[in-house]
């Protein structure tokens, strides 16, 4: 391998080329870089001014809308007395500073309050004005086109906000907008203008153009550019090239246009190119004479610079920068110093961000715990009175009622059950969002789920004249490994929706096998199709969002909170599946989803199905202790048990339950969890630890706590079984039959 030659040798050997080529390249690169930087700066300036100004305009518009919207809310709520309204309007006019006047029109379009006060305008009929007519028609906040106000004599645009009693109309002040435009427009060849939909100049960095209401001749090109993604292009305006940046102000239909004169911006670049050319010749002539001296200084400089680079790479920022008095070297030195300072700042900022991230994670965890506590408390507080209402209605249903009273009772019970379903959906959605919805795989039979579908929805569908068709491909094994509870929840939601929205035709629930990647998983494609109303394409993208419904008007024909499909989608994703929907208005809807199950159980493996215990079991003679602090809940539980031959004894808290056990004999205990003096958890623990004969009595948790994990928590605490409120008679009797002594 040849021995490396020294830089001095190479430099002196190639002195001519070493001077000429670098100087030429440096000149070309510098000029090209300057050109690119100037162009980049032009783009950055245009975007910066566009972003800042559009943000300022949008903020002003939003503030204006918020002020009038707040007034409409106060008027809707009846929180402003009529005699105080002029004063309130004046305060809004004074505080916002963006309005020329504010008028309040009643539902017939008559001005009945305004600020500033003008007796001639009060009582004016504006029912045919677009500001009133369109706002009442569409029921949303509307901006009018710009116009010259006959009343104020200034160019303006109106914002109309409907409320229950009429419409609020405010005139926007363009004078403030023009002042904002002039403040944002720099002096270096940059022009800013705001155009309306017709191309009329509403505001301009040159005030005269806006006052003369000129129309920009390039309006059509600007509007076309505003619809593109880049919104930046070159235009030939007045014989010179300008860079145009267009930003639409969507709320009002206005367009913000920022223009830069290329000649003014690139002039310094051309001067720089000429200067570098001159200096290149001078340096070429002087370089030969000063080569030796210069080369020595360069070597010394680079040696010190290398030392500093190594220090920075090792994490040390104690720099000993050389000072050679040469412009280029000092520029490198300055930029190197700035670079090292930026690196150090970034490192410190990263440390701060990490600390802040840890803090935010802690806050998020605290907020999540608070949310869970709130949901648990609200669930309890809602279920307790709902349990009383449903229980009393079920007891009433057992009385000797006439046909009309029975109908009323059944309707009230269905309403309570609908409210319970809504509460369960909200809790399910919250558990999923908090990643607390467990997927519990177990052996089950697909045929059992299909049988449940037919039992629950078959009769309802047939009453409507709709065929419910259930089909499973024979290639799919009946025994599967998955979460049958969540699979039922998915299918029940989808089939329930299909039954609700289908008046004629049929509903088909089908299942087909899908290829899988390995032996440890089994994939199934389900489809639920109907011949119902169908869904418009514009609503399909939002159909799986929470609280979204296909009917959003006040004339809705179908109920529901819009949570079912959102829960379905998230449950499918929790089970490593995907869901999609296809629909045509008037022809029906098809929902496809695939689920991934565990390995298929072998034919010899027994998949057990829990035995069904009838709610009609004979309970006569059974003595039950009921610990419940709510009087209404005591009444309906006691009434139910008595009607079934049970002897109930009711107490109000855990302490009384313990005292009653000391002196009486019972077969079962129904224990509420949340009670005064002594709660059910403590009472159950004392019963189990007592060592007395009643320590083994079955204790059933009867509670409004229904959050994820509550059942497991109560069973672990010593309860024998668990029932969540609101109760249904059949469920209560089944649990009693399961736990009564034989």
């Amino acid at each position: 391998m040849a021995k490396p030659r020294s830089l001095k040798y190479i430099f002196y050997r190639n002195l001519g080329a070493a001077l000429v080529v670098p100087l030429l390249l440096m000149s070309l690169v510098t000029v090209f870089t300057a050109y690119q930087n100037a162009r980049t700066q032009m783009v950055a300036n245009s975007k910066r001014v566009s972003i800042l100004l559009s943000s300022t305009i949008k903020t002003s518009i939003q503030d204006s809308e918020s002020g009038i919207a707040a007034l409409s809310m106060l008027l809707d709520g009846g929180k402003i007395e009529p005699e105080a309204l002029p004063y309130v309007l004046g305060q809004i006019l004074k505080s916002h500073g963006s309005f020329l006047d504010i008028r309040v029109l009643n539902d017939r379009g008559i001005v009945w309050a305004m600020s500033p006060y003008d007796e001639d305008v009060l009582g004016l009929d504006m029912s045919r004005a677009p500001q009133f007519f369109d706002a009442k028609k569409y029921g949303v906040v509307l901006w009018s086109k710009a116009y010259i106000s006959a009343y104020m004599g200034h160019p303006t645009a109106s914002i109309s906000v409907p409320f229950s009693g009429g419409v609020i109309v405010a005139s926007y002040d363009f004078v403030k907008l023009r002042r904002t435009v002039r403040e944002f427009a720099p002096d270096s060849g940059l022009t800013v203008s705001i155009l309306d939909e017709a191309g009329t100049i509403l505001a301009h960095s040159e005030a005269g153009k806006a006052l003369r209401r000129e129309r920009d001749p390039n309006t059509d090109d600007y509007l076309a550019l505003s619809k593109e993604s880049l919104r930046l292009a070159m235009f030939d305006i007045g014989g010179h090239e300008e860079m145009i940046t267009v930003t639409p102000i969507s709320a009002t239909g206005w367009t913000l246009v920022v223009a830069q004169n290329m000649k003014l911006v690139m002039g310094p670049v051309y001067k720089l190119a000429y200067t570098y050319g001159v200096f290149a010749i001078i340096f070429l002539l002087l370089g030969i004479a000063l080569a030796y001296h210069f080369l020595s200084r360069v070597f010394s400089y680079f040696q010190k610079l290398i030392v500093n680079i190594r220090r920075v790479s090792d994490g040390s920022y104690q720099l000993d920068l050389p000072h050679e008095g040469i412009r280029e070297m000092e520029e490198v030195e300055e930029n190197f110093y700035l670079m090292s300072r930026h690196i150090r700042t970034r490192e410190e900022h990263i440390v701060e961000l990490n600390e802040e991230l840890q803090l935010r994670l802690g806050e998020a965890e605290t907020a999540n715990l608070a949310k869970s506590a709130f949901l648990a408390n609200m669930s309890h507080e809602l279920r307790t009175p709902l349990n009383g209402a449903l229980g009393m209605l079920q007891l009433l249903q057992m009385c000797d009622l006439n046909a009309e009273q029975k109908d009323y009772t059944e309707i009230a019970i269905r309403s309570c059950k609908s409210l319970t379903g809504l509460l369960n959906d909200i809790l399910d959605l919250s558990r999923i969002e908090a990643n607390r919805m467990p997927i519990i795989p177990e052996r089950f039979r697909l045929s059992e789920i299909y049988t449940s579908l037919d039992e629950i929805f078959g009769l309802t569908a047939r009453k409507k004249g709709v065929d419910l068709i259930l089909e499973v491909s024979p290639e799919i094994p009946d025994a599967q490994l998955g979460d049958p509870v969540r699979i039922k929840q998915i299918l029940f939601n989808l089939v329930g929706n299909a039954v609700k929205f289908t008046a004629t035709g049929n509903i088909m629930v089908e299942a087909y096998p899908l290829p899988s990647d390995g032996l440890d998983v089994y994939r199934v494609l389900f489809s639920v199709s109907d011949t119902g109303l169908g869904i418009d394409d514009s609503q399909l993208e939002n159909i799986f969002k929470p609280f979204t419904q296909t009917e959003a008007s006040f004339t809705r024909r179908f109920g529901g909170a819009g949570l079912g499909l959102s829960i379905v989608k998230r449950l499918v994703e929790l089970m490593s599946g995907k869901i999609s929907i296809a629909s045509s208005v008037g022809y029906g809807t098809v929902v496809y989803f695939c689920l991934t199950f565990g390995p298929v159980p072998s034919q010899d493996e027994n998949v057990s199905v829990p035995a069904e215990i009838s709610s009609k079991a004979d309970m006569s003679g059974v003595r039950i202790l009921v610990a419940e602090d709510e009087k209404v809940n005591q009444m309906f539980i006691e009434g139910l048990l008595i009607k079934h031959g049970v002897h109930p004894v009711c107490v109000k808290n855990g302490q009384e339950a313990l005292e009653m056990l000391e002196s009486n004999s019972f077969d079962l205990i129904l224990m509420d969890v949340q009670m005064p003096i002594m709660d059910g958890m403590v009472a159950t623990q004392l019963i189990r630890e007592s060592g007395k004969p009643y320590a083994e009595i079955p204790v059933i948790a009867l509670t409004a706590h229904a959050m994820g994990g509550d059942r497991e928590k109560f069973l672990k605490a010593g309860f024998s079984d668990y029932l969540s409120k609101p109760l249904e008679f059949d469920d209560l009797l089944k649990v009693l039959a399961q736990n009564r002594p034989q």
Side-chain angles (χ1 to χ4, degrees):
M1 184 176 182
K3 181 179 179 180
R5 296 176 178 178
S6 68
L7 181 60
K8 288 184 179 181
Y9 173 83
I10 297 173
F11 180 82
Y12 287 122
R13 188 188 65 180
N14 304 288
L15 182 58
L19 288 174
V20 174
V21 175
L23 284 173
L24 291 176
L25 288 178
M26 184 177 66
S27 299
L28 292 173
V29 170
T30 304
V31 172
F32 178 78
T33 303
Y35 176 84
Q36 293 288 19
N37 289 341
R39 189 178 180 88
T40 301
Q41 188 63 39
M42 281 183 66
V43 175
N45 285 341
S46 296
K47 290 183 178 179
R48 177 181 60 83
V49 173
S50 298
I51 292 172
L52 290 176
L53 188 52
S54 63
S55 297
T56 302
I57 294 171
K58 290 176 182 177
T59 300
S60 174
I61 291 171
Q62 291 171 357
D63 288 343
S64 302
E65 292 179 356
S66 298
I68 303 303
L71 175 60
S72 70
M73 292 175 65
L74 293 174
L75 290 173
D76 283 335
K79 297 183 180 179
I80 301 178
E81 298 295 332
E83 57 271 14
L85 182 56
Y87 172 77
V88 174
L89 295 179
Q91 292 300 311
I92 294 175
L93 200 64
K94 183 186 299 183
S95 62
H96 278 272
S98 298
F99 303 122
L100 294 172
D101 71 338
I102 304 176
R103 303 179 187 181
V104 181
L105 285 61
N106 62 21
D107 57 356
R108 298 189 308 277
I110 306 300
V111 179
W112 65 280
M114 68 174 296
S115 181
Y117 178 82
D118 190 330
E119 186 173 354
D120 294 334
V121 178
L122 286 176
L124 180 65
D125 185 358
M126 295 182 64
S127 60
R128 296 184 180 276
Q131 296 95 320
F132 173 82
F133 182 79
D134 291 343
K136 287 294 288 183
K137 179 179 180 181
Y138 298 108
V140 295
V141 177
L142 293 176
W143 281 83
S144 71
K145 295 181 179 180
Y147 62 92
I148 300 295
S149 172
Y151 168 64
M152 302 299 294
H154 296 299
T156 184
S158 296
I159 174 176
S160 302
V161 180
F163 67 100
S164 59
V167 176
I168 304 169
V169 180
S171 298
Y172 188 79
D173 188 3
F174 278 122
V175 174
K176 182 178 178 181
L177 179 60
R178 290 175 183 143
R179 186 166 55 249
T180 301
V181 168
R182 289 196 296 272
E183 290 173 355
F184 272 88
D187 297 329
S188 57
L190 190 144
T191 304
V192 179
S193 59
I194 298 177
L195 312 177
D196 66 7
E197 294 175 343
T200 304
I201 298 176
L202 305 177
H204 200 280
S205 50
E206 298 177 15
K209 291 190 176 183
L211 296 178
R212 292 193 297 270
R213 301 281 291 162
E214 295 182 5
R215 184 184 186 278
D216 195 304
N218 297 302
T219 297
D220 295 337
D221 294 332
Y222 296 160
L223 293 177
L225 182 60
S226 68
K227 298 177 182 178
E228 298 180 3
S229 58
L230 187 58
R231 297 175 182 170
L232 186 147
M234 304 300 298
F235 282 77
D236 187 357
I237 300 177
H240 57 270
E241 193 176 29
E242 291 195 4
M243 177 179 288
I244 302 296
T245 304
V246 177
T247 304
I249 309 299
S250 57
T252 60
W254 305 340
T255 303
L256 172 65
V257 180
V258 178
Q260 287 192 87
N261 191 324
M262 288 289 290
K263 183 177 180 181
L264 293 177
V265 175
M266 293 301 175
V269 177
Y270 302 144
K271 292 180 181 179
L272 180 63
Y274 175 77
T275 302
Y276 263 95
V278 173
F279 272 98
I281 296 174
I282 295 174
F283 276 120
L284 180 61
L285 296 175
L286 296 178
I288 297 174
L290 301 175
Y292 180 80
H293 177 69
F294 175 76
L295 187 60
S296 299
R297 296 178 63 181
V298 168
F299 285 158
S300 174
Y301 173 82
F302 278 112
Q303 288 297 329
K304 292 181 180 179
L305 186 61
I306 290 172
V307 172
N308 286 292
I309 291 173
R310 288 174 177 171
R311 289 179 180 176
V312 172
S313 66
D314 293 337
S316 173
Y317 299 98
Q318 300 296 324
L319 305 180
D320 180 20
L321 295 175
H323 300 283
E324 296 296 334
I326 300 175
R327 185 179 61 186
E328 287 78 3
M329 293 183 178
E330 289 184 353
E331 185 177 350
V332 173
E333 172 187 330
E334 179 181 354
N335 283 282
F336 179 77
Y337 174 74
L338 290 174
M339 180 190 69
S340 63
R341 189 172 65 180
H342 290 162
I343 293 173
R344 184 174 185 178
T345 302
R346 289 192 186 100
E347 289 180 352
E348 294 172 350
H349 185 55
I350 290 172
V351 173
E352 294 175 357
L353 288 177
N354 285 333
E355 294 175 353
E356 184 178 358
L357 178 60
Q358 294 300 321
L359 177 63
R360 297 300 182 207
L361 287 174
E363 292 175 350
E365 182 65 25
T366 302
N368 188 41
L369 293 175
K371 174 186 175 183
S372 298
F374 172 77
L375 287 172
N377 184 57
M378 288 306 298
S379 171
H380 181 275
E381 296 303 319
L382 288 172
R383 288 175 186 274
T384 298
L386 186 59
N387 183 59
L390 184 59
M392 290 295 103
L393 288 168
Q394 291 178 91
L395 282 178
L396 180 62
Q397 197 176 33
M398 296 180 180
C399 298
D400 187 13
L401 305 176
N402 59 39
E404 182 179 8
Q405 291 169 336
K406 288 181 179 180
D407 288 341
Y408 293 159
T409 305
E410 289 176 358
I411 292 171
I413 289 174
R414 285 200 300 271
S415 297
C416 288
K417 291 181 178 180
S418 295
L419 184 56
T420 303
L422 175 60
L423 180 59
N424 290 334
D425 282 347
I426 293 174
L427 292 177
D428 280 347
L429 185 62
S430 301
R431 284 195 290 264
I432 293 172
E433 289 179 343
N435 293 323
R436 296 180 61 187
M437 174 67 79
I439 299 299
I440 305 173
E442 59 183 71
R443 305 298 184 186
F444 72 96
R445 293 192 181 278
L446 198 56
S447 58
E448 295 292 335
I449 295 178
Y450 268 62
T451 300
S452 299
L453 285 173
D454 185 61
E455 291 173 351
I456 293 176
F457 298 105
L459 180 60
T460 303
R462 286 189 289 273
K463 284 182 178 180
K464 296 179 68 175
V466 177
D467 295 329
L468 178 60
I469 304 171
L470 306 174
E471 292 187 359
V472 179
S473 171
E475 299 177 8
I476 298 179
D478 189 34
Q480 295 288 345
L481 175 62
D483 190 331
V485 175
R486 300 307 169 197
I487 297 170
K488 279 185 180 181
Q489 188 173 0
I490 293 169
L491 287 171
F492 281 19
N493 265 294
L494 296 177
V495 177
N497 279 347
V499 172
K500 181 193 300 184
F501 293 105
T502 303
T504 60
N506 60 71
I507 299 169
M508 294 190 65
V509 183
E510 301 172 275
Y512 301 97
L514 287 176
S516 59
D517 296 333
L519 297 177
D520 58 340
V521 294
Y522 190 85
R523 301 175 68 230
V524 177
L525 174 65
F526 293 89
S527 70
V528 179
S529 60
D530 62 63
T531 57
L533 298 178
I535 305 169
D536 189 80
D537 290 344
S538 61
Q539 296 174 327
L540 285 178
E541 59 179 303
N542 298 320
I543 198 68
F544 291 112
K545 293 181 180 179
F547 307 105
T548 299
Q549 297 169 315
T550 57
E551 287 191 320
S553 68
F554 293 109
T555 58
R556 285 174 53 202
R557 294 167 292 168
F558 305 100
L563 291 175
L565 288 179
S566 175
I567 294 173
V568 164
K569 182 176 186 296
R570 301 185 187 204
L571 287 176
V572 169
E573 291 172 347
L574 282 175
M575 289 188 280
S576 302
K578 294 183 179 180
I579 187 168
S580 63
I581 186 169
S583 185
S584 178
V585 176
Y587 293 96
T589 303
V590 184
V591 180
Y592 302 94
F593 66 95
C594 65
L595 295 180
T596 302
F597 299 133
V600 176
S602 64
Q603 296 295 328
D604 299 332
E605 186 174 349
N606 181 32
V607 180
S608 62
V609 178
E612 183 69 19
I613 298 179
S614 173
S615 61
K616 306 297 183 181
D618 184 16
M619 298 291 293
S620 59
V622 177
R623 289 178 53 81
I624 297 179
L625 176 61
V626 180
E628 169 63 62
D629 61 318
E630 288 286 340
K631 186 64 178 177
V632 175
N633 291 340
Q634 280 189 4
M635 290 175 61
F636 93 77
I637 295 174
E638 185 178 22
L640 167 67
L641 296 177
I642 290 174
K643 285 180 181 293
H644 286 78
V646 178
H647 300 294
V649 176
C650 296
V651 295
K652 295 182 291 185
N653 55 63
Q655 182 64 45
E656 293 183 5
L658 290 174
E659 294 172 357
M660 189 63 66
L661 287 170
E662 290 289 341
S663 58
N664 295 274
S665 175
F666 296 97
D667 300 307
L668 290 169
I669 301 173
L670 289 176
M671 182 77 72
D672 189 14
V673 173
Q674 187 168 320
M675 295 183 291
I677 302 177
M678 181 184 292
D679 62 50
M681 296 281 281
V682 175
T684 301
Q685 184 178 0
L686 293 175
I687 290 172
R688 296 304 186 215
E689 296 175 354
S690 65
K692 297 183 178 181
Y694 57 77
E696 301 301 323
I697 295 178
V699 182
I700 300 168
L702 193 65
T703 176
H705 291 279
M707 293 291 290
D710 283 343
R711 176 184 179 87
E712 293 73 15
K713 179 175 65 177
F714 295 139
L715 295 180
K716 186 177 180 180
F719 287 94
S720 306
D721 213 330
Y722 165 90
L723 274 174
S724 65
K725 299 176 182 178
L727 299 175
E728 294 195 32
F729 286 169
D730 287 346
D731 294 339
L732 176 58
L733 294 177
K734 285 179 182 179
V735 170
L736 293 179
Q738 286 175 341
N739 291 276
R740 70 171 183 173
Q742 299 299 321

